[in-house]
Amino acid sequence: MRIDVVSVFPEYFAPLDLSLIARARQRDLLSLHVHDLRKYTHDVHRTVDDAPCGGGAGMIMKPEPWGEALDDITAGQQKPHLLVPSPAGVPFTQEMAESLAAEPWLMFACGRYEGMDQRILDEAATTMRVTEVSLGDYVLFGGEVAVLAIIEATTRLLPGVLGNADSLREESHNNGLLEAPAYTKPAVWRDREVPDVLLSGHHARIRRWRRDQALLRTAQRRPDLLAHIPEDDLDRSDREVLRGVGVEPGARGMAE
Ligand code: JCQ
């Protein structure tokens, strides 16, 4: 896979020279290029922003440097899928990461200030697929940190980037539930014990305990996820656990 990133802060992407992503690049599983948007300015101040038309606070990224950058980086080739982090984007999900991991070429445009001139995206969309993506309902200074997250979520799914043991764990969440808490040795640390069942060697009981914990955590922290669990995926114990925390299986708008 090829990835190009355009930003006024290319230094933000130093972590891509570390660890598993660096190794993927060394092994040519990933070809990754970071570009400085200011290289595509021509004035002495290397201006990339201007005041919003119609007034209002803050500044907007001006279209000319973006147009030149996208033209230059994609010249004479099949076009990439352009991803633009924005609080106004479609929610980024594991499912989207899986679909991005199957594409040959991704390009990321990092907005700053109050956003980008809409014509940058409209013009790009005439020659390439453009997707505005949101990492969540909060506002960052710019798209850079969101791009790092999307690159991590996507490249760890590329063939050969993770070991086989890890890739087998590619169940999206835990059948739609949050994972149970995990422990390692020592069995007692600062008077805190590892739950007995995990040291019992009873594999069926361990599996049941983890399932219960996953159901309880999901009910407490992410009740929205329970609505997507098909009712047929819940056994009698599952239903009992959920009823114990006031979730009525069947009477909660669950998937059919
Ligand atoms: C992404 N959730 C929040 C900030 C403007 C494209 O214009 C802008 C982009 C950003 C960066 O993205 C986010 C974000 N997901 O803040 C302002």
Side-chain angles (χ1 to χ4, degrees):
M1 166 181 282
R2 172 174 170 184
I3 296 179
D4 289 87
V5 181
V6 184
S7 163
V8 290
F9 289 120
E11 305 89 345
Y12 252 102
F13 299 93
L16 300 176
D17 293 330
L18 299 176
S19 186
L20 289 163
I21 292 179
R23 194 179 66 149
R25 295 170 77 179
Q26 279 158 8
R27 298 154 106 205
D28 280 334
L29 304 171
L30 174 65
S31 159
L32 193 146
H33 309 275
V34 180
H35 309 268
D36 185 352
L37 180 69
R38 291 195 201 275
K39 185 178 135 190
Y40 299 95
T41 61
H42 305 288
D43 63 313
V44 281
H45 295 111
R46 311 183 91 193
T47 310
V48 294
D49 62 341
D50 205 340
C53 292
M59 298 289 270
I60 303 296
M61 296 196 106
K62 57 201 271 96
E64 300 94 326
W66 277 109
E68 286 195 33
L70 300 187
D71 287 352
D72 180 47
I73 296 162
T74 70
Q77 300 167 78
Q78 288 254 46
K79 301 296 178 196
H81 183 174
L82 181 63
L83 296 148
V84 185
S86 162
V90 297
F92 182 69
T93 60
Q94 187 67 24
E95 183 179 75
M96 192 182 302
E98 284 163 17
S99 118
L100 294 181
E103 301 199 33
W105 189 5
L106 305 177
M107 180 139 80
F108 291 92
C110 301
R112 282 256 146 190
Y113 318 108
E114 305 310 309
M116 297 163 70
D117 188 303
Q118 183 60 40
R119 293 169 295 179
I120 300 164
L121 308 183
D122 294 347
E123 166 84 357
T126 65
T127 59
M128 62 190 105
R129 188 156 168 226
V130 177
T131 307
E132 288 184 74
V133 287
S134 167
L135 248 61
D137 294 336
Y138 43 79
V139 181
L140 305 170
F141 280 135
E144 284 79 6
V145 165
V147 166
L148 285 170
I150 296 168
I151 288 177
E152 264 200 40
T154 302
T155 58
R156 66 185 286 279
L157 301 176
L158 295 176
V161 169
L162 278 188
N164 246 0
D166 289 310
S167 49
L168 281 177
R169 287 189 26 79
E170 227 44 78
E171 342 117 289
S172 42
H173 276 293
N174 172 24
N175 297 310
L177 299 174
L178 302 183
E179 294 281 350
Y183 300 84
T184 185
K185 290 173 286 188
V188 183
W189 176 73
R190 297 189 179 181
D191 289 337
R192 296 171 183 276
E193 298 181 359
V194 171
D196 281 339
V197 62
L198 298 180
L199 306 170
S200 69
H202 286 98
H203 298 297
R205 284 192 211 164
I206 292 170
R207 203 173 316 119
R208 186 65 247 173
W209 182 87
R210 286 187 170 144
R211 176 78 178 174
D212 292 349
Q213 293 295 314
L215 288 161
L216 292 172
R217 270 193 167 182
T218 307
Q220 285 167 353
R221 302 177 181 183
R222 294 292 306 278
D224 58 303
L225 295 180
L226 287 178
H228 300 288
I229 309 292
E231 250 194 282
D232 291 352
D233 286 10
L234 298 178
D235 64 22
R236 294 175 61 92
S237 311
D238 292 343
R239 291 159 200 276
E240 206 172 302
V241 166
L242 288 175
R243 274 197 302 272
V245 289
V247 177
E248 262 324 306
R252 59 204 166 87
M254 287 187 62
E256 319 274 312

